[in-house]
Short mmCIF file of all heavy atoms in Angstrom, two decimals:
data_model
loop_
_atom_site.label_atom_id
_atom_site.label_comp_id
_atom_site.label_asym_id
_atom_site.label_seq_id
_atom_site.Cartn_x
_atom_site.Cartn_y
_atom_site.Cartn_z
N ALA A 365 16.23 -10.40 27.75
CA ALA A 365 16.67 -11.46 26.83
C ALA A 365 15.90 -11.43 25.51
O ALA A 365 16.16 -12.24 24.62
CB ALA A 365 16.51 -12.83 27.50
N GLN A 387 16.04 -23.22 24.24
CA GLN A 387 16.61 -21.99 23.67
C GLN A 387 16.39 -20.79 24.58
O GLN A 387 17.28 -19.95 24.77
CB GLN A 387 15.99 -21.72 22.30
CG GLN A 387 16.38 -22.73 21.23
CD GLN A 387 15.60 -22.52 19.94
OE1 GLN A 387 15.00 -21.47 19.73
NE2 GLN A 387 15.59 -23.54 19.09
N ILE A 388 15.19 -20.72 25.15
CA ILE A 388 14.88 -19.58 26.02
C ILE A 388 15.72 -19.63 27.31
O ILE A 388 16.22 -18.61 27.78
CB ILE A 388 13.37 -19.54 26.32
CG1 ILE A 388 12.62 -19.10 25.05
CG2 ILE A 388 13.05 -18.62 27.49
CD1 ILE A 388 11.11 -19.23 25.14
N LEU A 389 15.88 -20.81 27.87
CA LEU A 389 16.73 -20.93 29.06
C LEU A 389 18.15 -20.47 28.74
O LEU A 389 18.81 -19.81 29.56
CB LEU A 389 16.76 -22.37 29.56
CG LEU A 389 15.45 -22.97 30.10
CD1 LEU A 389 15.70 -24.34 30.71
CD2 LEU A 389 14.80 -22.05 31.12
N ALA A 390 18.64 -20.81 27.55
CA ALA A 390 19.99 -20.40 27.15
C ALA A 390 20.07 -18.89 26.98
O ALA A 390 21.07 -18.26 27.37
CB ALA A 390 20.37 -21.11 25.85
N ARG A 391 19.04 -18.30 26.42
CA ARG A 391 19.04 -16.84 26.22
C ARG A 391 19.00 -16.09 27.55
O ARG A 391 19.46 -14.95 27.66
CB ARG A 391 17.86 -16.42 25.34
CG ARG A 391 18.02 -16.85 23.88
CD ARG A 391 16.75 -16.67 23.09
NE ARG A 391 16.36 -15.27 22.95
CZ ARG A 391 15.32 -14.88 22.22
NH1 ARG A 391 14.58 -15.80 21.58
NH2 ARG A 391 15.01 -13.61 22.14
N LEU A 392 18.41 -16.71 28.55
CA LEU A 392 18.30 -16.08 29.87
C LEU A 392 19.58 -16.21 30.70
O LEU A 392 19.70 -15.59 31.75
CB LEU A 392 17.13 -16.71 30.65
CG LEU A 392 15.73 -16.34 30.15
CD1 LEU A 392 14.69 -17.30 30.73
CD2 LEU A 392 15.40 -14.90 30.51
N THR A 393 20.52 -17.01 30.22
CA THR A 393 21.76 -17.25 30.95
C THR A 393 22.86 -16.31 30.45
O THR A 393 23.05 -16.15 29.25
CB THR A 393 22.21 -18.71 30.74
OG1 THR A 393 21.15 -19.59 31.14
CG2 THR A 393 23.45 -19.02 31.56
N LYS A 394 23.58 -15.68 31.39
CA LYS A 394 24.63 -14.72 31.01
C LYS A 394 25.94 -15.05 31.72
O LYS A 394 25.94 -15.41 32.91
CB LYS A 394 24.21 -13.31 31.42
CG LYS A 394 23.07 -12.69 30.65
CD LYS A 394 22.84 -11.28 31.18
CE LYS A 394 21.66 -10.60 30.51
NZ LYS A 394 21.42 -9.26 31.10
N ASP A 395 27.05 -14.89 31.00
CA ASP A 395 28.34 -15.00 31.66
C ASP A 395 28.81 -13.61 32.09
O ASP A 395 28.11 -12.61 31.88
CB ASP A 395 29.37 -15.71 30.76
CG ASP A 395 29.73 -14.89 29.51
OD1 ASP A 395 29.40 -13.68 29.46
OD2 ASP A 395 30.33 -15.46 28.59
N GLY A 398 28.60 -10.79 29.61
CA GLY A 398 27.31 -10.45 29.02
C GLY A 398 26.87 -11.36 27.89
O GLY A 398 25.85 -11.09 27.24
N ASN A 399 27.64 -12.42 27.61
CA ASN A 399 27.24 -13.37 26.56
C ASN A 399 26.19 -14.33 27.09
O ASN A 399 26.31 -14.83 28.22
CB ASN A 399 28.45 -14.18 26.10
CG ASN A 399 29.55 -13.30 25.56
OD1 ASN A 399 29.31 -12.46 24.69
ND2 ASN A 399 30.76 -13.48 26.08
N ASN A 400 25.18 -14.60 26.26
CA ASN A 400 24.21 -15.62 26.69
C ASN A 400 24.68 -17.00 26.22
O ASN A 400 25.67 -17.11 25.47
CB ASN A 400 22.79 -15.31 26.21
CG ASN A 400 22.61 -15.46 24.71
OD1 ASN A 400 23.20 -16.34 24.09
ND2 ASN A 400 21.79 -14.62 24.12
N ALA A 401 23.99 -18.03 26.68
CA ALA A 401 24.47 -19.40 26.46
C ALA A 401 24.28 -19.88 25.02
O ALA A 401 24.66 -21.01 24.70
CB ALA A 401 23.78 -20.35 27.43
N LEU A 402 23.72 -19.05 24.16
CA LEU A 402 23.65 -19.40 22.73
C LEU A 402 24.87 -18.87 21.98
O LEU A 402 25.12 -19.26 20.83
CB LEU A 402 22.37 -18.81 22.11
CG LEU A 402 21.04 -19.41 22.58
CD1 LEU A 402 19.88 -18.66 21.94
CD2 LEU A 402 20.97 -20.89 22.24
N PHE A 406 30.26 -17.72 24.91
CA PHE A 406 29.74 -17.93 26.27
C PHE A 406 30.73 -18.74 27.11
O PHE A 406 31.27 -19.76 26.66
CB PHE A 406 28.40 -18.67 26.21
CG PHE A 406 27.83 -19.03 27.56
CD1 PHE A 406 27.38 -18.05 28.42
CD2 PHE A 406 27.75 -20.37 27.96
CE1 PHE A 406 26.85 -18.38 29.66
CE2 PHE A 406 27.23 -20.71 29.19
CZ PHE A 406 26.78 -19.71 30.05
N ASP A 407 30.96 -18.29 28.34
CA ASP A 407 31.88 -18.95 29.26
C ASP A 407 31.07 -19.64 30.37
O ASP A 407 30.65 -18.99 31.33
CB ASP A 407 32.83 -17.93 29.88
CG ASP A 407 33.80 -18.56 30.87
OD1 ASP A 407 33.75 -19.79 31.05
OD2 ASP A 407 34.61 -17.81 31.46
N PRO A 408 30.82 -20.95 30.27
CA PRO A 408 29.97 -21.63 31.25
C PRO A 408 30.58 -21.73 32.65
O PRO A 408 29.88 -22.09 33.60
CB PRO A 408 29.80 -23.04 30.63
CG PRO A 408 30.99 -23.22 29.77
CD PRO A 408 31.32 -21.86 29.23
N VAL A 411 29.44 -17.83 35.08
CA VAL A 411 28.05 -17.42 34.87
C VAL A 411 27.62 -16.45 35.97
O VAL A 411 27.86 -16.70 37.16
CB VAL A 411 27.12 -18.66 34.85
CG1 VAL A 411 25.67 -18.23 34.69
CG2 VAL A 411 27.52 -19.61 33.72
N VAL A 412 27.00 -15.37 35.58
CA VAL A 412 26.51 -14.40 36.57
C VAL A 412 24.99 -14.43 36.68
O VAL A 412 24.41 -13.89 37.63
CB VAL A 412 26.98 -12.98 36.23
CG1 VAL A 412 28.49 -12.89 36.32
CG2 VAL A 412 26.49 -12.54 34.85
N GLN A 413 24.33 -15.01 35.69
CA GLN A 413 22.86 -15.14 35.74
C GLN A 413 22.48 -16.47 35.09
O GLN A 413 22.76 -16.70 33.91
CB GLN A 413 22.19 -13.99 34.98
CG GLN A 413 20.66 -14.14 34.87
CD GLN A 413 20.02 -13.01 34.09
OE1 GLN A 413 20.18 -11.83 34.43
NE2 GLN A 413 19.31 -13.34 33.02
N TYR A 414 21.89 -17.33 35.87
CA TYR A 414 21.47 -18.63 35.34
C TYR A 414 20.04 -18.56 34.78
O TYR A 414 19.19 -17.85 35.32
CB TYR A 414 21.51 -19.69 36.44
CG TYR A 414 22.91 -20.05 36.87
CD1 TYR A 414 23.50 -19.45 37.98
CD2 TYR A 414 23.64 -21.00 36.16
CE1 TYR A 414 24.80 -19.78 38.37
CE2 TYR A 414 24.94 -21.34 36.55
CZ TYR A 414 25.51 -20.73 37.65
OH TYR A 414 26.78 -21.06 38.03
N GLY A 415 19.79 -19.35 33.77
CA GLY A 415 18.43 -19.41 33.23
C GLY A 415 17.53 -20.32 34.03
O GLY A 415 16.29 -20.18 33.99
N TRP A 416 18.12 -21.26 34.79
CA TRP A 416 17.32 -22.30 35.42
C TRP A 416 17.90 -22.69 36.76
O TRP A 416 19.12 -22.73 36.93
CB TRP A 416 17.32 -23.53 34.51
CG TRP A 416 16.36 -24.64 34.86
CD1 TRP A 416 16.71 -25.91 35.29
CD2 TRP A 416 14.94 -24.64 34.76
NE1 TRP A 416 15.59 -26.67 35.47
CE2 TRP A 416 14.49 -25.92 35.15
CE3 TRP A 416 14.01 -23.67 34.39
CZ2 TRP A 416 13.13 -26.25 35.17
CZ3 TRP A 416 12.67 -24.00 34.41
CH2 TRP A 416 12.24 -25.27 34.80
N ARG A 470 26.59 -27.22 30.35
CA ARG A 470 26.22 -26.05 29.57
C ARG A 470 26.20 -24.74 30.34
O ARG A 470 26.08 -23.67 29.75
CB ARG A 470 24.85 -26.29 28.90
CG ARG A 470 24.85 -27.55 28.01
CD ARG A 470 23.51 -27.77 27.36
NE ARG A 470 23.14 -26.65 26.52
CZ ARG A 470 21.91 -26.47 26.02
NH1 ARG A 470 20.96 -27.35 26.30
NH2 ARG A 470 21.64 -25.42 25.26
N GLY A 471 26.25 -24.81 31.66
CA GLY A 471 26.26 -23.58 32.47
C GLY A 471 24.93 -22.85 32.49
O GLY A 471 24.85 -21.70 32.91
N ILE A 472 23.86 -23.53 32.10
CA ILE A 472 22.54 -22.88 32.04
C ILE A 472 21.80 -22.98 33.38
O ILE A 472 21.08 -22.06 33.76
CB ILE A 472 21.70 -23.51 30.91
CG1 ILE A 472 22.31 -23.12 29.55
CG2 ILE A 472 20.24 -23.11 31.00
CD1 ILE A 472 21.64 -23.79 28.37
N ALA A 473 21.99 -24.08 34.09
CA ALA A 473 21.35 -24.28 35.40
C ALA A 473 22.37 -24.14 36.52
O ALA A 473 23.56 -24.46 36.32
CB ALA A 473 20.69 -25.65 35.45
N ALA A 495 16.72 -17.08 36.47
CA ALA A 495 15.57 -16.45 35.83
C ALA A 495 14.29 -17.25 35.93
O ALA A 495 13.19 -16.69 35.88
CB ALA A 495 15.89 -16.18 34.36
#
Side-chain angles (χ1 to χ4, degrees):
Q387 291 173 17
I388 288 171
L389 295 187
R391 289 169 65 176
L392 289 165
T393 304
K394 291 181 183 177
D395 67 14
N399 301 308
N400 70 35
L402 292 176
F406 175 68
D407 179 1
V411 178
V412 295
Q413 175 182 303
Y414 290 96
W416 190 247
R470 302 180 60 192
I472 291 174

